[in-house]
Amino acid sequence: MSVEQNLEQFLKDVDEIAEIIQGLSSDDATSQEHIIAKADQKLALLKKKENEDGIRTKTNRTVFNNSPAGSFPQSNSEMSQDSFLAHLEKDAAERAEKRTQDKALANALKDLGNEAYAKGDYESAVQHYSEGLEILRDMQVLYTNRAQAYIKMEKYQNAITDCEWALKCDEKCLKAYVHMGKAYLGLKKYDEARKYYKKITDLDGNKEKMVKGYLNQVDSQEMKDMQEKKASRDLEAGAENAVSVTQLLQKLYKTDQIPLYYSGGLQLLANAVKDCTTQTVFRTNSGFNVIGDNTVINRSLISKQADPMDVDLCLSVLTLWQAVCTGNEENQRLFISHPNVTQQLLALLSSDVPDVQSKTLDLLSIYSMTEEGRSLLVKHLHPSRLLKSLVIYVTLMDRRAVKAMDILHSLTLEQRLKPYFRTDFLSESLPLFNRLLTKSSMSLVNMAVFPLCIAVIGHLTEDRIIRSTMAGSLEFWNSCLLAVDECSVPAAGQAHQDILVALLGLMFNLSLEENSVIQRSVGILSRVLPQCTAAVGLSVQGGIVKKLIKCLKAGGQRTSSYAVKVLAVCTKQDPQAQSDVVKYDKKFATLVPLLCSEDEKIIGNTALCLGNCFNVPGAAASLLQSDIVKLLLTHAGGDANQSSVQQNAAIALGKLCTAEPRYMMRLRELHGIEILNSCMKYIK
């Protein structure tokens, strides 16, 4: 009997024994009698099989009945039902103990297999997993792990068999379906691969994104297979374009030729690559190695200040790369993962030759147009260096600036790609942005494109770590404020206004960050919020009130001035802000002392904020034991130099007394009824 048949029989025996145990616990005498007879038959069959095989089964078990089949003792015979149950219980305990020991050993072998797999030693991994299965044949994870190792060894049919056994152990094993899909993909059975990948979402709807990625791999592999079969057929049939590509490649493999030889040959080759089939012929005939292995060509690609012949050769290479990569994902993957390409592309971006820069941007644009292409760019090129190389283009006044910003815009727009830009962001990318925002640089940037550059920064701030880094940089806030001042001059045109709007939006978002530089962030909010009602709601929802109360508690006249102004704006427009102030500033312990400030702007905004908050039920009553009436009456009665301060204090006083009539007695004692009457028109 095979290993698979042994396992299947073992699992069947386990099910039958479990059924016997459950039946014996029944209160029905007829059912018990039937189950006892079934147990007797089962034990007899096991003994018969043992005699036929000539060996004892390896499974640790206790013989329940040595009597011939059909003679299992009844309640009055030599073995009672209680005795049978005792033997059965003992056997179950022994089996459980042995299984615990077997499981511990199997797990140890699994760990050894995992270690070997991690080192790339797949044969040893398979051996360890197999040894584990000899001990515990229903351990599902050993099957899926061994299947994964088999896939690495390209033993796809073995992997499929293991996955089938894993599913017999656990029909909902997602890993089994994943590895089945990979194995069938390796066998180029694309429909089967799709079928097993799709079963994953049937079991777990949350895996839809993961399954989509697997299905895309199947589509790409199938497309590649079809392309290569067609390319092979065309070559065998002697198709002119396909044959021309192979012949040109052979000529270009010659070494130590002058740059002009390679330049002309590469131009001819680029012209010969007209469609997907010729692109595939180029790929399958090691076309990318023609450039990668040629020292003359490579020298022209990394030379920043090249002579005319090298420039011509460099442009020919870029033309060919663009021809073979356009619309061909497999060529794009192979090209960008080729050795030295990262160094070459970054060098080409920093070339002193405008045409070289432009053609390099055209090549990168091919990648930026698709989801897979964008992933390839950020995974294979150094993201921070790429960002730095492209942002510099904002200082150019032609289409190169637009191309560069469009590429960056597409790369940073996708949430899943943002974490790739974290590396060296603080040391490389952020200082560059700071320099661009200075007055001297602002005069040099392409004003029409710069808002798109700021939008790129905004996209990056959607990443938690990058946002925290920027919000905590005092230098960045200073640069932003300088740029705001530069764009706010009366003579500024529409381009400056567009930049100002983009900057204020960026700074507003950063100001909500927990570790943002307090003074800068609340200063920006105090300028933005009065002009944007929608921003007030977003700020309140983002928990701005709690943060502002913390600012006020920390003290500092300038910070307090900004913070209380923002609170006044928020509480005036949003009832939730009023409730939040009452919640986070118990009995107004932070706001009321501000009425004693020497800064009348602080006093006026504090009075306005308090007046708004007195609309909250119970808020006014919380100040009954304070001197709030006296403080407001002092400012409302004419001591303030600014009429707005008097008005805000008078309104707050009126709302206080309206919300809590008990303040009227105190007001009479202070002879403030006339002042209260004068402010009632504002309340209405």
Side-chain angles (χ1 to χ4, degrees), residues 437-499:
L437 292 170
T438 61
K439 183 176 181 180
S440 57
S441 295
M442 285 283 288
S443 61
L444 300 175
V445 300
N446 187 326
M447 302 297 285
V449 177
F450 198 46
L452 192 56
C453 180
I454 298 172
V456 166
I457 307 174
H459 294 160
L460 290 174
T461 61
E462 293 173 10
D463 177 78
R464 178 180 55 83
I465 293 177
I466 294 176
R467 182 174 65 252
S468 178
T469 300
M470 296 181 72
S473 171
L474 180 59
E475 184 180 358
F476 178 72
W477 283 103
N478 285 332
S479 299
C480 287
L481 289 172
L482 290 172
V484 167
D485 291 339
E486 182 70 15
C487 294
S488 301
V489 296
Q494 184 59 47
H496 284 84
Q497 288 298 312
D498 293 340
I499 294 172

Side-chain angles (χ1 to χ4, degrees), residues 243-301:
V243 172
S244 295
V245 170
T246 58
Q247 291 175 344
L248 286 166
L249 284 173
Q250 291 173 0
K251 292 178 180 179
L252 286 167
Y253 268 119
K254 291 182 179 181
T255 59
D256 299 326
Q257 302 297 309
I258 63 173
L260 187 60
Y261 173 87
Y262 296 117
S263 179
L266 291 171
Q267 285 287 353
L268 291 173
L269 184 56
N271 293 334
V273 177
K274 298 179 179 295
D275 53 24
C276 181
T277 300
T278 47
Q279 287 176 329
T280 306
V281 171
F282 176 89
R283 179 180 75 239
T284 55
N285 285 271
S286 302
F288 289 112
N289 290 337
V290 166
I291 297 170
D293 296 340
N294 191 302
T295 55
V296 175
I297 297 176
N298 274 278
R299 186 174 61 245
S300 72
L301 295 175

Side-chain angles (χ1 to χ4, degrees), residues 203-254:
L203 294 174
D204 188 349
N206 295 324
K207 303 296 183 183
E208 187 174 350
K209 186 176 181 180
M210 178 187 77
V211 171
K212 180 183 176 183
Y214 286 135
L215 293 175
N216 287 340
Q217 291 176 11
V218 177
D219 294 341
S220 297
Q221 185 63 35
E222 185 176 27
M223 179 65 69
K224 175 188 174 184
D225 194 27
M226 292 171 58
Q227 291 171 354
E228 292 180 357
K229 286 179 179 178
K230 186 177 186 308
S232 179
R233 289 195 301 268
D234 281 12
L235 279 175
E236 290 176 1
E240 182 179 352
N241 287 335
V243 172
S244 295
V245 170
T246 58
Q247 291 175 344
L248 286 166
L249 284 173
Q250 291 173 0
K251 292 178 180 179
L252 286 167
Y253 268 119
K254 291 182 179 181

Side-chain angles (χ1 to χ4, degrees), residues 404-414 452 455-456 459:
M405 291 307 107
D406 283 342
I407 294 169
L408 274 181
H409 190 267
S410 64
L411 291 179
T412 57
L413 197 59
E414 290 191 40
L452 192 56
V456 166
H459 294 160

Side-chain angles (χ1 to χ4, degrees), residues 309-592:
M309 293 186 67
D310 281 341
V311 169
D312 192 49
L313 177 55
C314 188
L315 292 173
S316 298
V317 172
L318 287 166
T319 301
L320 175 63
W321 279 344
Q322 189 173 349
V324 297
C325 288
T326 300
N328 193 310
E329 287 190 358
E330 186 59 32
N331 277 12
Q332 290 175 18
R333 277 191 289 270
L334 190 60
F335 163 67
I336 205 162
S337 60
H338 203 276
N340 301 323
V341 163
T342 296
Q343 178 188 3
Q344 290 166 350
L345 287 176
L346 292 173
L348 292 168
L349 282 173
S350 60
S351 170
D352 291 334
V353 182
D355 287 343
V356 171
Q357 291 180 340
S358 186
K359 277 192 171 291
T360 306
L361 291 170
D362 289 338
L363 178 61
L364 296 182
S365 294
I366 294 172
Y367 285 85
S368 69
M369 288 187 292
T370 65
E371 182 178 346
E372 178 63 22
R374 291 189 287 270
S375 293
L376 289 171
L377 276 184
V378 297
K379 289 178 182 178
H380 290 280
L381 299 184
H382 192 294
S384 292
R385 290 181 61 190
L386 178 62
L387 180 69
K388 188 175 180 179
S389 298
L390 290 174
V391 166
I392 292 297
Y393 279 74
V394 79
T395 59
L396 303 178
M397 300 300 163
D398 54 29
R399 288 289 300 170
R400 287 173 291 167
V402 177
K403 289 180 184 178
M405 291 307 107
D406 283 342
I407 294 169
L408 274 181
H409 190 267
S410 64
L411 291 179
T412 57
L413 197 59
E414 290 191 40
Q415 190 67 34
R416 63 191 181 90
L417 298 182
K418 292 179 176 66
Y420 288 100
F421 292 92
R422 293 173 182 170
T423 306
D424 299 330
F425 184 83
L426 182 61
S427 60
E428 295 289 337
S429 304
L430 192 55
L432 175 60
F433 289 137
N434 291 339
R435 288 196 297 273
L436 289 174
L437 292 170
T438 61
K439 183 176 181 180
S440 57
S441 295
M442 285 283 288
S443 61
L444 300 175
V445 300
N446 187 326
M447 302 297 285
V449 177
F450 198 46
L452 192 56
C453 180
I454 298 172
V456 166
I457 307 174
H459 294 160
L460 290 174
T461 61
E462 293 173 10
D463 177 78
R464 178 180 55 83
I465 293 177
I466 294 176
R467 182 174 65 252
S468 178
T469 300
M470 296 181 72
S473 171
L474 180 59
E475 184 180 358
F476 178 72
W477 283 103
N478 285 332
S479 299
C480 287
L481 289 172
L482 290 172
V484 167
D485 291 339
E486 182 70 15
C487 294
S488 301
V489 296
Q494 184 59 47
H496 284 84
Q497 288 298 312
D498 293 340
I499 294 172
L500 180 61
V501 170
L503 269 176
L504 289 175
L506 171 64
M507 298 168 77
F508 169 72
N509 290 331
L510 287 176
S511 68
L512 300 178
E513 186 66 13
E514 193 70 37
N515 70 326
S516 60
V517 181
I518 299 299
Q519 182 174 309
R520 303 298 180 185
S521 59
V522 295
I524 291 300
L525 285 173
S526 69
R527 298 179 63 173
V528 175
L529 293 185
Q531 305 174 44
C532 183
T533 303
V536 173
L538 290 173
S539 300
V540 174
Q541 292 173 20
I544 189 63
V545 171
K546 183 177 181 180
K547 296 174 184 177
L548 291 171
I549 295 296
K550 286 185 178 180
C551 291
L552 291 172
K553 288 179 179 178
Q557 184 167 336
R558 174 176 279 186
T559 301
S560 296
S561 178
Y562 289 147
V564 77
K565 179 180 178 182
V566 175
L567 273 180
V569 173
C570 290
T571 54
K572 181 180 180 181
Q573 298 185 17
D574 195 321
Q576 181 60 47
Q578 300 169 8
S579 299
D580 285 349
V581 170
V582 174
K583 177 181 178 181
Y584 295 116
D585 188 20
K586 302 297 183 183
K587 296 184 178 181
F588 301 104
T590 303
L591 281 175
V592 170

Side-chain angles (χ1 to χ4, degrees), residues 181-200:
K182 290 181 179 180
Y184 278 114
L185 180 59
L187 293 171
K188 298 186 178 181
K189 295 183 178 181
Y190 304 113
D191 289 339
E192 287 294 304
R194 291 188 184 94
K195 181 179 75 173
Y196 284 102
Y197 282 141
K198 289 177 181 177
K199 285 184 178 181
I200 296 172

Side-chain angles (χ1 to χ4, degrees), residues 108-118 121 124-126 128-129 145:
L109 288 166
K110 180 198 72 172
D111 292 340
L112 289 174
N114 291 348
E115 290 177 11
Y117 182 92
D121 186 358
S124 295
V126 166
H128 291 308
Y129 297 142
N145 284 12

